Amino acid sequence: MTELADSPFSEHVGKHPGEPNVMEPALLTDPFTGYGELREQGPVVRGRFADDTPVWFITRFEEAREVLRDHRFANAPAFAAGGGNGDTPSDRLMEIMGLPEHYRVYLANTILTMDAPDHTRIRRLVSRAFTARKITDLRPRVEDIADDLLRRLPEHAEDGVVDLIKHYAYPLPITVICELVGIPEEDRLQWRDWGSAFVPLQPDRLSEAFPAMIEHIHALIRERRAALTDDLLSELIRVHDDDGGRLSDVEMVTMVLTLVLAGHETTAHLIGNGTAALLTHPDQLRLLKSDPELLPRAVHELMRWCGPVQMTQLRYATEDVEVAGVQIKQGEAVLAMLVAANHDPRHFADPARLDLTRQPAGRAENHVGFGHGMHYCLGASLARQEGEVAFGNLFAHYPDVSLAVEPDALQRVPLPGNWRLAALPVRLH
């Protein structure tokens, strides 16, 4: 916890008794228990965001889905209390993190912070890259990338131990999303380094990495404009150049930024968390090995049981709204706690049990690991496919792979709203 102990956000912990802050150690180290206890207090619980903003935690499954599909809750910080004077949680976070003023627009106007009609317009422009047909056609390439990484794993072994996060869980999705978007191969390690700067919440790292990412995207757009291809970046450039009203310069840059970061960070930790879960639940791993057709249902259950994203973006009431008998006033913030909702015993029988057969075959997903409503994860279908390939191919190549440390020795990255491993040391046998 040393990284966050030195974080500028830690000073707010404990300032408001009875209103838990998302930075509290108990919620960072064991969010399943911590947010589970809050869930049993009620479906709507008063708490605090990292910057000390008062927020309503939405903790139960039905209420979380209700809020996430309710258009009276908006993502745009302008709807926050105080949003008219530049004093929103987003403004304060960027100020604390030391981001230069002229770069902040690239975080303030992303598809994650937009509402209709802008969100609909931007999502429509990129959704064609994530259609069912496109994802199906991409699968052989995902299989090839996974197999190549798996064949090379023994080269990375030290005393027989390989870090599966570093050499498999990260390289697979970052290669896939960079090829899809159009990021050159020689730049991908740099993107991973930049992405890691978002994790420790340290202003000195982020204030350097974020401007570097933005300038890199601008340079990439200039280069690609001179030689358009069939990747997503080229398509965005065509849309922008043909009709600037459909896609602005800032929107094009932030779309690339969001797709690459979100397209590899979360999937990497789905693979890491899921592999650790399977290796520590041998009965479920045997079940999966005996029936590979179970993989799609297994990915859904792993997203529910140990998904990498544990809370949504802040949302703001655009008018007074009542949720589960609690009055949420216009401008107040809410956080849907996915980790609590996905373990809600009112919706899931024995939710603490990992059960790869829990998700009915051929049914709509029965969890909120990818969110819900208008802001449902744009790349969910790609992430699910990458998970299926990652788990299936790993255990096909190395059926006797095992943890190289005791489960309790696995180190987690203490980041609010995320559940991720710092490393996953395994023996391939």
Side-chain angles (χ1 to χ4, degrees), residues 284 287 294 297-298 301 353-361:
Q284 296 300 298
L287 183 63
L294 192 59
R297 297 169 68 186
E301 173 67 352
R353 177 171 56 90
L354 180 66
D355 178 5
L356 301 190
T357 66
R358 186 186 299 272
Q359 174 79 16

Side-chain angles (χ1 to χ4, degrees), residues 6-22:
D6 299 329
S7 167
F9 300 105
S10 60
E11 64 181 271
H12 301 301
V13 173
K15 284 174 61 175
H16 307 277
E19 296 183 7
N21 189 294
V22 297

Side-chain angles (χ1 to χ4, degrees), residues 279 285 289 393-402 427-429:
L279 293 178
L285 181 53
K289 288 179 179 179
N393 291 31
L394 170 65
F395 296 114
H397 276 260
Y398 303 105
D400 298 319
V401 63
S402 63
R427 295 187 183 278
L428 303 175
H429 300 291

Side-chain angles (χ1 to χ4, degrees), residues 66 122 136 201 402:
E66 173 189 337
I122 297 296
T136 299
L201 298 179
S402 63

Side-chain angles (χ1 to χ4, degrees), residues 153-163 166-167 426-427:
L153 278 183
E155 302 171 11
H156 304 292
E158 296 183 11
D159 297 325
V161 176
V162 178
D163 178 3
K166 181 177 181 180
H167 299 295
V426 300
R427 295 187 183 278

Side-chain angles (χ1 to χ4, degrees), residues 33 87 89 135 204 232 246 308 369 380 407:
T33 298
D87 188 30
I135 299 305
D204 56 341
L232 183 56
R246 293 175 63 200

Side-chain angles (χ1 to χ4, degrees), residues 306-370:
C306 57
V309 179
Q310 300 197 322
M311 67 176 68
T312 62
Q313 296 261 121
L314 284 170
R315 284 168 163 76
Y316 307 96
T318 59
E319 59 184 82
D320 291 354
V321 183
E322 184 176 297
V323 178
V326 175
Q327 188 75 12
I328 299 175
K329 296 180 180 179
Q330 181 178 357
E332 291 187 331
V334 300
L335 270 177
M337 292 301 177
L338 307 181
V339 61
N342 276 330
H343 286 254
D344 186 353
R346 295 155 191 81
H347 186 79
F348 301 101
D350 194 8
R353 177 171 56 90
L354 180 66
D355 178 5
L356 301 190
T357 66
R358 186 186 299 272
Q359 174 79 16
R363 294 275 299 277
E365 61 193 48
N366 188 28
H367 61 84
V368 288
F370 290 111

